[in-house]
Amino acid sequence: MGAVKPSNIRNFAIIAHIDHGKSTLADRLIEACEGLESRDMQEQVLDSMDIERERGITIKAQTVRLEYTAQDGEHYVLNLMDTPGHVDFSYEVSRSLAACEGSILLVDASQGVEAQTLANAYLAVEADHEIIVVLNKTDLASAEPERVKQQITDVIGLDASDAIPISAKTGVGVPELLEALVKRISPPVGDKAAPLSALLVDSWYDAYLGVVILVRVRDGVLTKGMKVRMMAAGTAHTVEQVGTFQPKPEPGKQLGPGEIGYFTSGIKEVAQTSVGDTITSDRKPTDAPLPGFKPSVPVVFCGLFPVDAGDYPRLRESLTRLKLNDSSFHFEAESSAALGFGFRCGFLGLLHLEIVQERLSREFDLDLIATAPSVVYRIHLTNGKVTELHNPVDMPDPVHIDHLEEPWISATILVPEEYLGSVLKLCEDRRGEQVSLGYAGNRAVVTYRLPLNEVVFDFYDRLKSGTSGYASFDYEVEGYREGDLVRMTIMVNGDPVDALSMVVYRASAESRGRALCERLKELIPRQMFQIAIQAALGGRIIARETVRAMRKDVTAKCYGGDVSRKRKLLDKQKKGKKRMRTFGKVEIPQEAFIAALKMDGD
Amino acid sequence: MQTNDLGVYVHWPFCLAKCPYCDFNSHVRDAIDQDRWHRAYLTEIRASADRAAHLGDATSVFFGGGTPSLMDPELVAGILDALAGTIGIAAHAEITMEANPTSVEAAIFKAYKVAGVNRMSLGIQALDDGALKFLGREHSVASALDALAMAQSTFDRVSFDLIYGRLGQTVDQWTEELSRALGFGTGHLSLYQLTIEAGTKFGETYAGAAPAGKDPKSGFSLVDDDIGADLFEITQTLCDDAGLGAYEISNHARPGQECAHNMVYWRSGDWLGIGPGAHGRLTTPAGRLATTQHRSPDAWLNAVESGGTGALSETPLDGAARLEESVLMAMRLTEGLSETRFTHQTGRSFENAFGGVLPDLIGDGFVEMADGALRTTAKGRLVLNQIVTRLIGAS
């Protein structure tokens, strides 16, 4: 495999809303180009994680090099980037797009434009891509290609008149799509003779190869054995293996301008590579690094604690291993009186959080408690300093706080008209400010500004239940705004329960506090003492509930034949105690925390 | 202080019908070959006597079941003779038999007395025919009272059981029923709050009614805890007024009428278990042992006939187990847990074992130290399971 002429290369991404058939289309394209023997073919080849295949979502960007002989007789190399559809991973989407010249915008011909279609289409427009509109699932009786084309034109503003109808499931339309890729997407431009300049698109840890680095070459040639320099990191490495994904890694000799492929160089940790960095020749470096990316910043935080304290070392090890392949995920040790030792973790969003939690329980077999998700607040102190608050427990004394700022998002929601009322109400209840309201056919397109802390708190669940699952939702963080926020503390017989502290909007503090106290009253079993459950803002109690003392817990009969059995029962109780947390004299079952943290807002 | 008492428990595993609340080892059979069982008991007694040779004469014998009043008086006499001839039975030993209060059984009370029984415990359970039906009993209130009169005229010491906290029972109803019961002048009463046990007919019927957060398998009562507490409290008041104060959670007696045999259990003394499923505790030079016999009647019978003993297991009790049993049992008693006895049984002082929780439990009025013993207060008795869990958890 020598370097391919840039004019015979097409680099493209597939962007779509979740479930619109992106990974299935990728499978058909790979098949059509005979990228895999059919015995190696499995559903959604590119989704390598079980969790991706099961949930039908792509988490990491994936890439595959396809060999295609077009109708003009020319031989082309098509580099396909499969991108994550979800908003939490829009950062990964934009860097995949930066490595390509064009995109397939895949839209389900029955469902039409959804929130992520919109968000991802805008990213492609920003990246200056040639966009090929493809309507999928046109073989279904419910398909309405004409209506959806009109919708794409109305809502996104793209000309959809030459949209290609396909069925990714049956393969109908795939040959036409392959031709369109060759004809409509521009070939990459690059100078083979110039110094090497390649974009570090992604990197991950592979058990056999060490850290694998995905690159897109702009100028020059990346060859096996050459010494490369990472311009931002300032480190130099010797290229050990260079190759392409077809879709399995195939080692070759070099990568030329316009090509997408990988190299390895004995790097042990993903943290040593920084996505967006420019890779150049150590001996003959380029003087102009490529425009990089902003690093991804976690916006949602929560505490993760092992249910069994003995699992703490295993949790740490598991988080470390996850981080190997997910540089956007952050964690640091945290200890809680309620939940013991655990970690404060930062995520790109709620789906990211959910996925990490699921991977921990699935791949690492850990039983975890997650505290309520919170966002990053900016605290302006009276001494003029500004600090970031990742954990409500760390909130300074209010007397030292001048004001607080919270992140706001711009949210786009697409919903069938009949559910619009419930969406508007939800957004208004969550302090939303309407930006726009329009229609695309029978679907409403609503844009709201919302405080992120109102969204991390069961917003998705509410949105789904209020719209029978028909609403689609996407958002981006817009910036920080001052907010009238207070920390609400929950106290059990006067002792604060750290795991239940939360930062809330002052006007909703009372109703939230009351709801939480009522819930805890149901969840905390009666004990030998009366238990006061209070919600407080600073020293002011805003809600109170009482768990009355248990009146009777005594075994009626216990004779000689019963004692062994009763002793076994005691042993069982003792084991149950491990799952109890003690506050003063009060014992609270861990289940109560989990249930309280899951509760909804009103 | 080592208790020098030695109890012998003899289990008769058969009943005419299985009661829906009962999780004891009881079975219903069409025909029982009493001669064959007679031989088997004698064989087992010989084997047990070897294990208890160092413990002195038995101070109590208890025929439990099942329904031991279905045993032929000759069988009872034969067992007592065998015990007297091997282990030995002390001169003033308490010999109790459990009986159903039916006319058939009452007719042979005298024969049991001749056989050596000197204390009768009747399973009257309720003084309300509807309640007796609910509880699956085969007798009526009228026949129960006849049997009680017969027992009281035959034996110096009589006890009967009542079950309260039945479905829908109110404090007023129970007050009336218990007052009537106390009017018979009986010297000992066992008053149990109905508990639904797993594996019983009630367990199946009422498992779905287990309150949220409670495991139906762990047993729960049919009245809620608040009413249960009210019923318990009125029980104490009425019995105290009648001169039958509680000496254990569910047992009431005139002074001197306490069941000596059950006291052996609650003070973690030594007892031999004879018959199917019988448990025993024996202090031996090698340490304290928990013994069990084969549980099913047929398995026990076969084991005895082929191997000379129905013994199934002998488990040494380590320090933690001894401590748990000591606390679990003695805290049920009004006299409480004697520190001297506790130290003798476990090698630990209260301070050493419970230092972490005792000041709070005392300070909050759940337990008190008196006469060298740790005992529950009236308030603590109602939440004894919690107290026991804390004491053992601290140890």
Side-chain angles (χ1 to χ4, degrees):
Chain A
M1 176 194 77
V4 187
K5 270 194 304 189
S7 59
N8 283 24
I9 295 174
R10 299 293 183 271
N11 297 319
F12 68 100
I14 309 181
I15 52 182
H17 187 77
I18 190 163
D19 282 342
H20 280 200
K22 187 160 48 71
S23 297
T24 312
L25 174 58
D27 289 354
R28 288 298 88 73
L29 291 171
I30 293 166
E31 262 177 6
C33 300
E34 291 167 14
L36 271 185
E37 301 286 332
S38 55
R39 68 184 153 83
D40 287 340
M41 199 66 205
Q42 56 173 333
E43 294 277 295
Q44 304 179 9
V45 180
L46 295 186
D47 290 342
S48 54
M49 286 187 247
D50 282 348
I51 190 168
E52 292 184 318
R53 221 169 272 136
E54 268 171 41
R55 299 178 58 143
I57 51 176
T58 305
I59 297 162
K60 302 286 284 183
Q62 300 284 335
T63 176
V64 59
R65 174 186 169 119
L66 304 171
E67 313 261 340
Y68 174 63
T69 307
Q71 285 167 5
D72 62 9
E74 283 280 318
H75 191 71
Y76 291 92
V77 165
L78 308 179
N79 287 310
L80 181 168
M81 304 276 306
D82 188 12
T83 61
H86 194 271
V87 51
D88 282 0
F89 307 104
S90 63
Y91 172 70
E92 301 217 6
V93 178
S94 48
R95 71 196 198 214
S96 303
L97 297 183
C100 301
E101 282 74 27
S103 292
I104 292 174
L105 177 65
L106 187 67
V107 183
D108 183 307
S110 317
Q111 288 182 30
V113 172
E114 295 287 358
Q116 287 152 30
T117 317
L118 207 59
N120 289 326
Y122 290 149
L123 289 175
V125 171
E126 272 172 42
D128 242 349
H129 273 199
E130 173 64 38
I131 297 172
I132 301 176
V133 177
V134 175
L135 302 182
N136 192 17
K137 307 188 192 178
T138 48
D139 55 326
L140 295 184
S142 56
E144 297 177 83
E146 289 313 312
R147 181 183 68 81
V148 171
K149 278 191 205 174
Q150 189 58 43
Q151 203 191 22
I152 291 167
T153 310
D154 293 348
V155 180
I156 310 178
L158 280 177
D159 177 10
S161 57
D162 53 358
I164 301 173
I166 68 158
S167 164
K169 204 171 146 203
T170 65
V172 167
V174 170
E176 291 77 8
L177 174 57
L178 284 165
E179 279 301 307
L181 286 171
V182 170
K183 288 194 184 122
R184 284 163 57 180
I185 293 178
S186 326
V189 192
D191 181 357
K192 194 174 176 179
L196 174 67
S197 138
L199 180 68
L200 198 163
V201 181
D202 203 355
S203 64
W204 58 88
Y205 184 79
D206 179 284
Y208 299 103
L209 301 172
V211 172
V212 176
I213 296 169
L214 182 67
V215 291
R216 154 71 201 261
V217 178
R218 294 279 169 195
D219 296 314
V221 181
L222 179 72
T223 51
K224 188 175 171 176
M226 84 183 279
K227 201 165 187 189
V228 292
R229 165 167 293 275
M230 310 230 187
M231 295 182 76
T235 54
H237 306 276
T238 302
V239 175
E240 287 175 358
Q241 199 184 100
V242 59
T244 55
F245 293 103
Q246 305 186 14
K248 294 174 180 170
E250 290 291 337
K253 289 201 177 74
Q254 56 180 6
L255 291 172
E259 286 194 279
I260 295 174
Y262 72 91
F263 76 92
T264 64
S265 62
I267 297 175
K268 296 280 184 290
E269 282 173 40
V270 172
Q272 290 174 268
T273 64
S274 88
V275 168
D277 204 347
T278 302
I279 292 157
T280 189
S281 160
D282 190 46
R283 209 149 16 117
K284 202 177 86 177
T286 176
D287 46 11
L290 300 165
F293 305 108
K294 279 181 293 179
S296 63
V297 182
V299 293
V300 176
F301 282 78
C302 83
L304 291 179
F305 295 85
V307 165
D308 179 350
D311 278 342
Y312 178 79
R314 226 153 55 76
L315 175 58
R316 181 175 47 209
E317 196 183 302
S318 306
L319 292 173
T320 309
R321 278 176 58 191
L322 277 188
K323 177 134 178 87
L324 276 182
N325 267 334
D326 187 352
S327 54
S328 52
F329 163 64
H330 292 239
F331 68 93
E332 60 186 52
E334 178 184 9
S335 80
S336 150
L339 303 173
F341 289 101
F343 295 91
R344 191 80 189 160
C345 303
F347 307 92
L348 298 175
L350 287 174
L351 181 73
H352 190 207
L353 180 156
E354 209 181 299
I355 285 168
V356 168
Q357 243 180 287
E358 202 173 320
R359 290 188 64 186
L360 287 169
S361 69
R362 184 186 298 213
E363 294 169 33
F364 301 95
D365 195 27
L366 285 161
D367 201 0
L368 297 177
I369 302 174
T371 64
S374 87
V375 303
V376 179
Y377 298 95
R378 274 188 201 148
I379 306 179
H380 293 258
L381 298 168
T382 47
N383 65 8
K385 282 190 185 146
V386 181
T387 63
E388 281 196 343
L389 181 72
H390 291 180
N391 186 345
V393 172
D394 301 329
M395 181 115 143
D397 191 311
V399 303
H400 299 303
I401 298 175
D402 185 69
H403 66 278
L404 281 170
E405 285 184 320
E406 63 180 326
W408 279 63
I409 60 167
S410 166
T412 305
I413 300 167
L414 274 76
V415 66
E417 241 179 301
E418 60 263 42
Y419 298 110
L420 180 62
S422 90
V423 171
L424 296 181
K425 179 168 187 313
L426 177 65
C427 291
E428 297 295 331
D429 286 349
R430 300 300 171 91
R431 295 190 278 145
E433 295 169 358
Q434 196 178 97
V435 178
S436 67
L437 170 59
Y439 290 90
N442 60 351
R443 291 173 78 81
V445 184
V446 206
T447 321
Y448 261 90
R449 288 203 185 88
L450 284 158
L452 184 59
N453 95 343
E454 301 282 350
V455 174
V456 297
F457 200 67
D458 85 334
F459 185 87
Y460 286 132
D461 292 343
R462 285 294 167 117
L463 185 66
K464 259 191 237 157
S465 62
T467 63
S468 307
Y470 283 115
S472 65
F473 171 79
D474 205 341
Y475 71 86
E476 57 181 346
V477 176
E478 275 204 333
Y480 276 77
R481 279 208 228 167
E482 186 171 342
D484 191 4
L485 300 164
V486 284
R487 181 178 64 179
M488 183 168 79
T489 312
I490 298 293
M491 293 187 293
V492 170
N493 273 1
D495 289 320
V497 180
D498 55 3
L500 297 175
S501 284
M502 54 180 83
V503 174
V504 293
Y505 183 56
R506 189 185 300 273
S508 37
E510 214 171 296
S511 63
R512 287 274 285 274
R514 210 178 306 120
L516 193 51
C517 289
E518 280 168 14
R519 189 71 199 275
L520 283 168
K521 184 189 173 179
E522 289 165 25
L523 294 166
I524 298 177
R526 286 166 74 173
Q527 292 170 39
M528 293 164 79
F529 317 88
Q530 173 171 306
I531 302 167
I533 303 166
Q534 295 166 304
L537 301 181
R540 192 166 66 87
I541 304 298
I542 54 166
R544 182 195 161 104
E545 291 288 338
T546 305
V547 179
R548 288 193 303 131
M550 160 194 295
R551 281 201 55 203
K552 179 177 161 287
D553 180 12
V554 55
T555 304
K557 276 190 187 184
C558 193
Y559 293 101
D562 303 311
V563 59
S564 298
R565 198 158 42 113
K566 300 292 178 206
R567 188 152 48 82
K568 274 183 201 136
L569 205 65
L570 270 175
D571 284 346
K572 216 172 109 189
Q573 279 177 3
K574 264 196 259 174
K575 284 193 188 105
K577 289 246 176 212
K578 279 190 184 165
R579 293 177 79 107
M580 301 283 255
R581 306 291 172 177
T582 309
F583 290 84
K585 292 180 203 163
V586 181
E587 285 174 332
I588 304 181
Q590 229 163 35
E591 288 78 0
F593 291 105
I594 300 172
L597 294 169
K598 270 192 186 151
M599 67 170 287
D600 44 37
D602 21 12
Chain B
M1 178 186 77
Q2 165 69 6
T3 165
N4 293 316
D5 293 342
L6 171 66
V8 176
Y9 176 78
V10 180
H11 191 79
W12 174 257
F14 303 110
C15 284
L16 288 178
K18 182 90 186 167
C19 298
Y21 54 86
C22 172
D23 68 336
F24 280 31
N25 186 17
S26 61
H27 305 261
V28 177
R29 292 290 154 85
D30 291 339
I32 298 150
D33 180 350
Q34 295 230 2
D35 288 341
R36 189 177 169 200
W37 278 83
H38 195 148
R39 288 191 296 275
Y41 278 115
L42 300 193
T43 308
E44 170 120 312
I45 287 166
R46 275 193 296 276
S48 300
D50 295 342
R51 295 204 283 201
H54 60 293
L55 292 168
D57 291 349
T59 49
S60 64
V61 179
F62 195 104
F63 290 92
T67 309
S69 54
L70 297 176
M71 295 166 93
D72 291 341
E74 297 73 38
L75 173 52
V76 175
I79 288 172
L80 290 172
D81 285 348
L83 287 170
T86 51
I87 298 160
I89 297 182
H92 299 289
E94 174 193 277
I95 317 285
T96 304
M97 167 172 273
E98 287 181 336
N100 273 346
T102 68
S103 52
V104 179
E105 286 153 308
I108 51 172
F109 282 171
K110 280 207 169 66
Y112 290 133
K113 187 178 182 183
V114 171
V117 173
N118 58 26
R119 183 174 181 271
M120 187 58 71
S121 172
L122 296 174
I124 291 181
Q125 316 307 8
L127 297 178
D128 176 286
D129 281 328
L132 287 173
K133 205 172 164 203
F134 167 72
L135 293 170
R137 303 296 294 180
E138 300 225 311
H139 61 268
S140 63
V141 174
S143 74
L145 296 184
D146 286 348
L148 177 62
M150 179 69 81
Q152 294 194 147
S153 68
T154 308
F155 299 98
D156 291 338
R157 297 179 63 196
V158 174
S159 172
F160 65 88
D161 297 0
L162 292 178
I163 294 176
Y164 68 104
R166 305 183 302 252
L167 196 61
Q169 194 170 34
T170 64
V171 172
D172 285 350
Q173 282 168 352
W174 173 235
T175 301
E176 200 188 314
E177 187 174 0
L178 179 56
S179 301
R180 192 175 166 205
L182 288 163
F184 304 133
T186 317
H188 187 285
L189 291 181
S190 297
L191 306 170
Y192 302 113
Q193 266 203 29
L194 179 57
T195 305
I196 306 300
E197 303 285 356
T200 64
K201 202 170 159 204
F202 276 173
E204 288 160 28
T205 314
Y206 296 102
K214 275 210 176 174
D215 179 359
K217 290 188 200 77
S218 69
F220 64 97
S221 70
L222 282 171
V223 291
D224 80 25
D225 287 355
D226 284 331
I227 297 173
D230 291 343
L231 291 172
F232 186 87
E233 280 172 352
I234 194 71
T235 302
Q236 310 312 307
T237 307
L238 292 171
C239 289
D240 285 347
D241 291 351
L244 269 79
Y247 67 100
E248 191 260 1
I249 294 293
S250 303
N251 283 281
H252 300 257
R254 258 182 247 296
Q257 294 282 308
E258 297 87 356
C259 177
H261 183 81
N262 288 337
M263 287 304 288
V264 171
Y265 299 148
W266 293 317
R267 287 175 175 162
S268 295
D270 289 336
W271 73 92
L272 283 170
I274 289 168
H279 288 249
R281 291 289 185 279
L282 290 177
T283 304
T284 73
R288 188 166 164 84
L289 300 177
T291 66
T292 62
Q293 311 301 103
H294 282 283
R295 186 171 160 87
S296 104
D298 296 327
W300 177 82
L301 205 53
N302 290 337
V304 174
E305 288 176 350
S306 62
T309 171
L312 175 66
S313 69
E314 257 189 27
T315 315
L317 293 174
D318 62 15
R322 289 200 306 274
L323 184 146
E324 285 179 9
E325 294 196 349
S326 183
V327 173
L328 196 59
M329 297 307 266
M331 291 305 286
R332 300 183 65 81
L333 292 170
T334 304
E335 69 176 25
L337 174 62
S338 144
E339 182 159 17
T340 317
R341 191 179 297 129
F342 177 78
T343 305
H344 181 81
Q345 288 169 348
T346 66
R348 300 175 68 177
S349 66
F350 283 175
E351 171 60 28
N352 172 278
F354 316 127
V357 295
L358 218 40
D360 271 353
L361 285 173
I362 292 173
D364 292 323
F366 292 109
V367 296
E368 60 189 14
M369 278 296 298
D371 308 327
L374 178 66
R375 61 194 194 192
T376 52
T377 59
K379 172 184 167 188
R381 212 155 295 148
L382 269 166
V383 289
L384 176 62
N385 292 352
Q386 297 284 319
I387 294 172
V388 166
T389 308
R390 271 160 213 253
L391 289 173
I392 290 175
S395 67

